[in-house]
Amino acid sequence: MRTTLTIALTLALSAAAFADDSDKRIDAYVESIKSNAALTDTARAAVLKRVATQRLNVYDKTETIADGLRLTYPAYAEALTLLAEEDLPAARAKLSELTKSDDPFLAAHASYFLAHSHTVDENYLDARPLLVDLTTGKRKAHTLYTGEALFFLAVCQAELLERDAAKKSLGLFLREHPGAPERMRIGALHMLNDLATIDEGSIIDVHDRMRFVEARLGKADSGKTPQAQQTRIIAMIDKLIEEAEKKEQQGGGGGGGGGGGGGSASGNNPSSPAESSTAPVGDAHAGALHRVNRGRPGDSWGSMKRRERERVLAALKDRFPERYKDLIEQYYKSLQDDDTK
């Protein structure tokens, strides 16, 4: 597994191969302003002056086109104000209309901020197609936010469990956008490392899949994906519990008490209390755990008596850290709640 430093060095060496074409996009935008018949001469002069000044700002050059659009289109400026005020529904309504504009620069920037609002609201499925269009589609040539869009696309892909696609997007972002905001580049490196450490079927993988299912169950168009993920999660939990039980059995057989490996057959006091205190609990927990992980997850949890549920949760607490026990408990309960709606 490559470390953050290794990844950073590799990307630094390859970054020079990608030319910054922001000036070409700004030049194209300037030409569109000059040919915009809807602008008065005074308005056109004001926008051109603003663009000429902003493009020289090395720290904020990516705002050049966006600033010009704010001066040109009051509806766009109003939408961004609503977005800043966190009135997301109203902002989305205006931005959605602006994505249909005949001005390709306005349509592209409206798409970017619409996608951004969806990402903030964790509507990753709605944000993803907009971001794909901004990074690989027809909108790409009409915005300076391509790098930011690629970063947010990777966020969406990671949250939607499209981890290989997220890794690819992050790598592309780091290679092709060396001038992107430092916070995003650092975030991208951290995301790459996080994605690289997730093993399929691990408790972290289960955690992420639970979060995904819970989020999707709250959507009207959840479709078949959550059900498929539920089945997969239950299988993963079964496997984790089975592995934990094997480790527990191996640990108990190898060194219980203080008398060594051969003392368990005798009637010595050190081994007898251990058998009476641990074996029944382990058997009871194992039985309860395997009962809850059969059939539909919500039905399994909902059909169990309170005492049985407590045994299951006690077993989970024994086998996994407290935060994962709570997570699994919450997950089962959320599935039950969803089934009763």
Side-chain angles (χ1 to χ4, degrees), residues 1-16 170-171 173-178 182 184-193:
M1 185 185 303
R2 294 191 295 175
T3 64
T4 302
L5 179 60
T6 304
I7 296 173
L9 289 173
T10 302
L11 294 170
L13 290 172
S14 61
L170 289 168
F173 166 73
L174 288 165
R175 287 195 307 273
E176 294 195 358
H177 300 279
E182 189 67 15
M184 285 189 173
R185 291 183 60 80
I186 292 173
L189 288 170
H190 283 306
M191 284 177 64
L192 274 175
N193 270 341

Side-chain angles (χ1 to χ4, degrees), residues 89-101:
R92 286 194 196 108
K94 288 188 175 293
L95 290 169
S96 295
E97 284 301 312
L98 294 174
T99 61
K100 305 169 188 175
S101 172

Side-chain angles (χ1 to χ4, degrees), residues 170-225:
L170 289 168
L172 195 62
F173 166 73
L174 288 165
R175 287 195 307 273
E176 294 195 358
H177 300 279
E182 189 67 15
R183 66 184 186 282
M184 285 189 173
R185 291 183 60 80
I186 292 173
L189 288 170
H190 283 306
M191 284 177 64
L192 274 175
N193 270 341
D194 289 344
L195 290 168
T197 60
I198 298 175
D199 294 324
E200 186 167 341
S202 66
I203 194 67
I204 297 176
D205 185 27
V206 171
H207 175 200
D208 287 351
R209 292 178 190 278
M210 284 179 177
R211 287 178 56 235
F212 171 78
V213 169
E214 289 174 359
R216 293 304 303 150
L217 287 175
K219 305 293 182 183
D221 59 342
S222 58
K224 296 181 179 179
T225 302

Side-chain angles (χ1 to χ4, degrees), residues 55-90:
R55 74 186 301 172
L56 298 177
N57 186 341
V58 295
Y59 299 105
D60 216 15
K61 187 175 181 177
T62 54
E63 299 299 318
T64 301
I65 298 175
D67 279 358
L69 291 170
R70 286 190 190 95
L71 292 177
T72 307
Y73 298 103
Y76 174 72
E78 184 180 354
L80 295 190
T81 298
L82 290 168
L83 199 58
E85 293 174 349
E86 298 184 1
D87 188 348
L88 298 183

